[in-house]
Amino acid sequence: MTARPRSRMSRFNVSALVLGLAFLYLPIAILVIYSFNASKLVTVWGGWSLRWYAEFFNDRAMLDAAWMSLRVAAVSASLATLLGTLAATALSRGERFKGRTLFSGMLYAPLVMPEVITGLSLLLLFVALNAERGFWTVTIAHTTLTMCFVTVVVQARLGKLDRSLEEAAMDLGCDPLRAFVSVTLPLILPSIVAGWMLAFTLSLDDVVIASFTTGPGSATLPIRIYSEVRLGVRPQINAICTLVLGLITVVIVAASFATKLTSARGEGAAPL
Amino acid sequence: MTDEPATSEPPLEVVAEPARPAPPAEAADIPLLRIEAVVKQFGGFRAVDRLSLDIRAGEFFALLGPSGCGKTTLLRMLAGFETPDEGRILLDGWDIAPLLPHERPVNMMFQNYALFPHLSVRDNIAFGLKRAGMPAADIRTRVAEMIALVKLEGLEKRKPDQLSGGQKQRVALARALARRPRILLLDEPLAALDKKLRESTQAELMALQRRLGTTFIIVTHDQDEAMTMADRIGVMDRGRLEQVATPRQLYEAPASRWIAEFVGDINLFEGEVASREAGRLVIATRDAGSIVVAAPLQPINKDVVAVAIRPEKVKLSRRGPASDDADHAHAINRLEGVVTDVGYLGGLTTYKVKLDSGAELRSSMANTARIDIDAYSPTHRVVAWFTPDDCLVLEQ
């Protein structure tokens, strides 16, 4: 055993790895491959084609839904990032205020709250307020869903950031707000960006909360896809899903780069 | 060389300060900084307990104490990161206690340097100048000046994580000095450096302080560092100043037994005053017989006292001082014992001698000769001797 090079894996390890990856990614791979299918039937291969992509870009309703989804994701992610960063700052930098533990508990509750409950309660709220359901209700709902994720990401970074950096800034002539803007903010910016992207993707693929809080004529892309699939899967759906998959991959990779940048800066921030 | 404009003279000289020794003659003028009965509590714990202290302009002052003694809290109050619960902090006669850090003409060098990782060396140093609204051309000149001062030429564009520990320390120093503060506060500035670098940096800090004339207040737990660098040292324990003195006074005339034991090594023998003669006291000790000591300036009121002798004042020989030795006449105190432990430290050798009474006596002797035929080894029987002037009498 010891003579074996460490890098070589046993047959068992290789097969376990292959099976595991296949279990995770085979369905997605099939979806991506079939999105390039020329055949009209979803399960029959008819050669390579971009026809379903073209069809998607001519499908007005589907494009509207996609546009709606992107707008909701962008706006709710921005709101969630703003609120989440403020909450994280309050939690890690603010004076110990009364009810701080309760505040942080309530902030993190949506992380574990079943989406159905969040969605239903928001629906009840909007109905009670007599709010017209549509873009803004979905956006607000997604903001409440994703804010806690941003808070987690930003607070982790703030916790690791050396407090004396802010003190040094104040010592060198900054009032507390200026110290935050000119020193803390640039240092936590990568995690804020990562938080935004996380919120964006969460909003983009949410069905449950969106289906509770959206109104007629303002369906998001996942809802649209879901309702289409109930009538039978069209190859066009595969194309759309592949596009969404690509977008999310790009965002996730960018987010992980942003996080990596954060930790690279973090080394300089905490030398001891 | 000093940039202290010693002009504004606030009329606050009459404040009585009971717990302090009379200031030396040269400090007759108003102190730059006066700390008045300052109290800081954390929860129920008094980190700083009615502490008063004057610091003169241009002084290199060290706050020395064990960890948790409140020295860092005091420094942070001077910088403005903590607000005193009671008392005043007067800079040039003005109470700065209510001011925020950015409103004080005081800068601080942080223990971990707290360099801004996203800014270059140059921008780190220029940070405080930009905040002060200095014109860009002046900032350039000042930054170049500071970089030359701390010998960082060629590293202006580096980011902090591309610097060595010693270089970071210099950037932090330059950044804190760039605004020409009235007082520079240094929180354990050398703690993160290795021993060799620490020693050379000590010398550089002293030279820099002399050149700029800026008042330095340094916090340290390292007594060698405080002794080497400071003009005066304030020894703190449990939120109070135990003694404020020059390094020599602190070492040779500690105010209490605690300080005698905290600063340097010392032999302590408890005993009672047996007789008082002109200029001499005879103390009957439990472990070392009768010791003749020079009577201290302040009269000893208590009967139970401790005799303290620094190890380097204790000389060892096989038969006691030779009769032709100049010290012979004064070497009244002789103790006999057996060497139990020898520690060779290069420049000096430390000995532990077990006295016949069973007590331990420590001695250290400079290794003045390369080949020392008089070196002692364990089990050697020796006579330890010291003069009455070498002894201190401490009331508990």
Side-chain angles (χ1 to χ4, degrees):
Chain A
M1 285 293 274
T2 45
R4 249 184 202 181
R6 279 176 80 196
S7 58
R8 227 179 102 185
M9 288 192 291
S10 71
R11 197 164 292 176
F12 174 79
N13 279 353
V14 171
S15 46
L17 192 66
V18 168
L19 283 174
L21 286 175
F23 177 72
L24 287 172
Y25 292 108
L26 196 62
I28 295 173
I30 288 172
L31 179 135
V32 172
I33 291 165
Y34 270 91
S35 75
F36 297 104
N37 190 359
S39 161
K40 215 177 175 127
L41 294 162
V42 183
T43 47
V44 179
W45 184 251
W48 296 96
S49 160
L50 286 174
R51 137 178 202 207
W52 304 112
Y53 288 88
E55 197 150 298
F56 165 64
F57 284 107
N58 289 321
D59 185 337
R60 195 68 242 167
M62 213 44 124
L63 278 179
D64 282 348
W67 178 232
M68 169 84 179
S69 263
L70 287 175
R71 267 159 58 221
V72 167
V75 174
S76 72
S78 304
L79 284 173
T81 304
L82 183 69
L83 294 173
T85 305
L86 287 176
T89 311
L91 281 175
S92 67
R93 286 296 184 268
E95 309 243 321
R96 302 209 133 254
F97 51 89
K98 233 187 177 158
R100 185 183 175 280
T101 318
L102 185 69
F103 177 64
S104 80
M106 285 170 69
L107 204 63
Y108 291 138
L111 277 175
V112 290
M113 189 89 79
E115 286 186 31
V116 178
I117 293 178
T118 312
L120 187 61
S121 59
L122 280 162
L123 174 65
L124 292 175
L125 175 75
F126 292 139
V127 169
L129 290 176
N130 209 4
E132 194 194 331
R133 277 174 291 140
F135 173 78
W136 280 108
T137 49
V138 182
T139 305
I140 289 169
H142 279 181
T143 306
T144 51
L145 170 74
T146 55
M147 189 186 113
C148 54
F149 290 89
V150 178
T151 308
V152 171
V153 173
V154 175
Q155 203 191 350
R157 176 73 191 120
L158 271 173
K160 269 194 264 170
L161 201 66
D162 186 356
R163 236 5 247 275
S164 61
L165 287 174
E166 277 165 54
E167 289 182 342
M170 286 192 257
D171 188 59
L172 294 166
C174 292
D175 56 56
L177 182 66
R178 262 227 101 105
F180 183 80
V181 171
S182 60
V183 172
T184 314
L185 205 55
L187 292 172
I188 62 169
L189 193 61
S191 61
I192 292 177
V193 172
W196 187 90
M197 292 181 196
L198 190 62
F200 183 84
T201 53
L202 281 168
S203 164
L204 203 61
D205 74 358
D206 169 73
V207 183
V208 180
I209 292 179
S211 65
F212 274 106
T213 52
T214 193
S218 55
T220 61
L221 190 61
I223 292 177
R224 184 91 215 165
I225 292 170
Y226 184 67
S227 53
E228 290 248 338
V229 167
R230 279 192 302 189
L231 305 174
V233 182
R234 287 193 295 147
Q236 191 199 337
I237 302 291
N238 288 350
I240 299 165
C241 290
T242 306
L243 287 173
V244 172
L245 202 65
L247 179 65
I248 286 177
T249 307
V250 167
V251 172
I252 294 278
V253 169
S256 81
F257 266 114
T259 321
K260 211 167 250 173
L261 197 63
T262 307
S263 54
R265 281 184 178 179
E267 282 168 18
L272 289 174
Chain B
M1 280 306 247
T2 170
D3 33 333
E4 305 297 343
T7 43
S8 55
E9 298 270 300
L12 277 155
E13 214 185 354
V14 281
V15 185
E17 273 193 284
R20 265 195 81 235
E26 69 265 25
D29 53 340
I30 295 222
L32 173 68
L33 184 75
R34 166 161 282 180
I35 299 164
E36 259 180 30
V38 160
V39 173
K40 179 72 194 175
Q41 305 210 56
F42 294 112
F45 173 69
R46 282 205 163 193
V48 173
D49 191 6
R50 286 193 68 78
L51 185 144
S52 296
L53 174 68
D54 279 2
I55 288 169
R56 298 188 289 268
E59 197 172 18
F60 199 135
F61 192 91
L63 282 167
L64 176 67
S67 56
C69 71
K71 55 191 194 302
T72 299
T73 306
L74 181 62
L75 197 77
R76 289 173 60 81
M77 282 195 280
L78 300 182
F81 300 128
E82 310 283 357
T83 322
D85 296 327
E86 285 172 38
R88 299 195 298 171
I89 299 171
L90 304 172
L91 183 71
D92 282 333
W94 298 99
D95 191 1
I96 59 165
L99 297 184
L100 289 169
H102 67 278
E103 298 163 328
R104 302 182 179 206
V106 165
N107 283 120
M108 175 146 160
M109 194 184 139
F110 291 81
Q111 182 174 7
N112 57 4
Y113 314 137
L115 299 178
F116 306 129
H118 59 303
L119 298 180
S120 66
V121 167
R122 176 186 287 139
D123 290 339
N124 261 287
I125 297 173
F127 188 91
L129 304 172
K130 282 183 189 151
R131 285 280 80 78
M134 198 187 239
D138 294 356
I139 291 181
R140 260 198 302 281
T141 325
R142 180 74 67 84
V143 170
E145 207 177 285
M146 296 322 293
I147 283 178
L149 189 71
V150 297
K151 304 187 191 83
L152 279 171
E153 292 96 337
L155 302 175
E156 292 92 338
K157 287 188 184 139
R158 295 248 186 117
K159 291 279 177 71
D161 55 3
Q162 298 168 303
L163 299 174
S164 71
Q167 288 165 341
K168 281 183 195 163
Q169 196 260 0
R170 285 153 189 276
V171 178
L173 185 64
R175 188 180 69 177
L177 281 170
R179 281 164 68 102
R180 303 238 166 103
R182 302 293 312 276
I183 301 175
L184 180 69
L185 308 171
L186 303 102
D187 186 7
E188 303 269 7
L190 310 176
L193 305 179
D194 60 64
K195 188 169 181 285
K196 260 274 179 312
L197 195 55
R198 197 155 57 218
E199 278 164 14
S200 64
T201 313
Q202 278 174 5
E204 277 173 39
L205 266 182
M206 288 163 73
L208 197 68
Q209 195 264 341
R210 234 170 282 141
R211 214 174 121 193
L212 297 172
T214 310
T215 308
F216 278 29
I217 302 177
I218 181 173
V219 152
T220 180
H221 66 275
D222 181 340
Q223 45 169 295
D224 292 338
E225 198 170 293
M227 298 279 246
T228 313
M229 292 199 287
D231 298 324
R232 284 196 305 153
I233 299 172
V235 182
M236 279 186 77
D237 184 37
R238 284 172 293 173
R240 289 170 177 273
L241 271 176
E242 293 287 321
Q243 187 173 12
V244 179
T246 63
R248 177 174 279 274
Q249 282 171 342
L250 201 64
Y251 188 76
E252 302 293 3
S256 72
R257 193 168 157 170
W258 183 83
I259 292 178
E261 287 186 291
F262 179 70
V263 180
D265 252 351
I266 202 147
N267 295 296
L268 281 170
F269 297 106
E270 285 175 20
E272 286 176 28
V273 179
S275 72
R276 298 166 194 256
E277 307 163 21
R280 295 266 170 104
L281 292 179
V282 178
I283 316 281
T285 63
R286 216 180 315 134
D287 294 325
S290 289
I291 297 179
V292 183
V293 303
L297 293 175
Q298 278 93 9
I300 297 288
N301 297 319
K302 287 186 186 160
D303 275 343
V304 179
V305 292
V307 178
I309 316 117
R310 296 282 182 197
E312 72 279 2
K313 312 284 194 292
V314 177
K315 287 141 197 126
L316 299 183
S317 66
R318 284 183 220 281
R319 269 176 228 87
S323 52
D324 58 342
D325 194 306
D327 286 336
H328 179 72
H330 304 290
I332 298 171
N333 299 307
R334 293 169 195 222
L335 300 168
E336 291 192 26
V338 175
V339 175
T340 57
D341 212 351
V342 179
Y344 178 74
L345 302 176
L348 45 88
T349 304
T350 62
Y351 297 96
K352 280 185 187 162
V353 177
K354 191 173 181 187
L355 299 179
D356 294 342
S357 66
E360 189 183 81
L361 180 72
R362 273 167 300 169
S363 162
S364 68
M365 295 206 279
N367 295 321
T368 50
R370 199 174 141 252
I371 296 158
D372 189 0
I373 49 160
D374 272 340
Y376 307 101
S377 307
T379 73
H380 279 177
R381 192 159 179 86
V382 290
V383 177
W385 50 276
F386 46 90
T387 71
D389 284 332
D390 291 333
C391 303
L392 274 163
V393 183
L394 297 169
E395 295 176 271
Q396 297 309 307

